[in-house]
Amino acid sequence: MKRMLCAVFLVLLNAGTAASQSAELGLTVGVSAFNDNGIGSLRSFAEGNIPVTLGNGVRVGARWATNSWTFLGHEFSYAYQRSSLNIGSGQSQGMNVQNIYYNFVAHATPSGMPLRPFVTAGAGVSVYFPPGVSSLSGGGDNNFGYNYGGGLKFKLTNTYGLRFDVRDHVTGRPFDLDDSSGRFHNVEYSATFSLLF
């Protein structure tokens, strides 16, 4: 029964793809830059409040996109991000972030064109894993958020494509530290090498 439901879902998701024959499956590499990277503070009797920040990092991931209409499409993406957690000015430890998002994509040129500028917006979850906690452990801090951005897609051949994205991922500040409030921005700069269908 589960297989049947999955098959029906995939057929419906790609219903428009058969007509436009445009789908992409790609591997992504890039960097993430945190704007306003402060996530709160830790209290110390000796030093008072010690600021805690997140450091910029590298991202790797995958994207699955379908162009269900001539100019519009859907996209699912996953990215693993390696960053750092910085306590005060002297302590820095590596940490991981996993990003899972759905986006709606609007292109400036029709499906099949060699150059396709696009804008995108979507929602999902970023899971922040503190230092020493494995991404496979399930011990991360889930932060739901949204992202928006744009980029360029290049059709290199009938089989291969290249795309460049800039996206702002907006989530809550993780780990519920003291003096932590509001949302912050994790800006993605990435390149994706894609197989075209």
Side-chain angles (χ1 to χ4, degrees), residues 119-143:
V119 293
T120 183
V125 63
S126 294
V127 185
Y128 296 84
F129 293 89
V133 176
S134 166
S135 298
L136 301 175
S137 70
D141 185 2
N142 298 337
N143 280 267

Side-chain angles (χ1 to χ4, degrees), residues 2 8 12 46 50 56 58 61 72 81 83 90 94 97 100 113 133 135 152 173:
K2 287 183 181 178
V8 169
L12 290 175
I50 302 170
N56 300 336
V58 296
L72 304 175
Q81 177 179 330
S83 297
V97 184
I100 303 166
M113 295 295 290
V133 176
S135 298
L152 287 171
R173 299 175 194 272

Side-chain angles (χ1 to χ4, degrees), residues 39-42 52-54 84-85 95-97 127-131 133 139-143 172-178 180 184:
I39 61 169
S41 62
L42 297 174
V52 179
T53 61
L54 295 182
S84 62
L85 182 74
M95 61 166 283
N96 305 322
V97 184
V127 185
Y128 296 84
F129 293 89
V133 176
D141 185 2
N142 298 337
N143 280 267
R173 299 175 194 272
F175 309 134
D176 295 323
L177 300 174
D178 292 334
S180 176
F184 76 135

Side-chain angles (χ1 to χ4, degrees), residues 111-124:
S111 180
M113 295 295 290
L115 178 63
R116 301 190 78 197
F118 66 91
V119 293
T120 183

Side-chain angles (χ1 to χ4, degrees), residues 34-165:
F34 289 102
N35 291 348
D36 182 22
N37 64 348
I39 61 169
S41 62
L42 297 174
R43 289 192 180 155
S44 166
F45 289 112
E47 301 177 48
N49 287 353
I50 302 170
V52 179
T53 61
L54 295 182
N56 300 336
V58 296
R59 318 168 52 98
V60 295
R63 298 192 200 282
W64 167 256
T66 62
N67 294 314
S68 299
W69 302 277
T70 303
F71 292 96
L72 304 175
H74 307 276
E75 179 176 282
F76 295 95
S77 64
Y78 166 81
Y80 171 87
Q81 177 179 330
R82 184 67 177 168
S83 297
S84 62
L85 182 74
N86 309 310
I87 301 171
S89 58
Q91 296 181 343
S92 180
Q93 296 180 352
M95 61 166 283
N96 305 322
V97 184
Q98 293 190 33
N99 303 281
I100 303 166
Y101 281 83
Y102 161 80
N103 276 53
F104 189 74
V105 184
H107 300 88
T109 57
S111 180
M113 295 295 290
L115 178 63
R116 301 190 78 197
F118 66 91
V119 293
T120 183
V125 63
S126 294
V127 185
Y128 296 84
F129 293 89
V133 176
S134 166
S135 298
L136 301 175
S137 70
D141 185 2
N142 298 337
N143 280 267
F144 293 95
Y146 61 91
N147 76 71
Y148 60 91
L152 287 171
K153 295 181 182 180
F154 298 91
K155 184 178 179 182
L156 303 176
T157 69
N158 286 335
T159 307
Y160 301 110
L162 183 63
R163 64 183 279 178
F164 298 97
D165 287 74

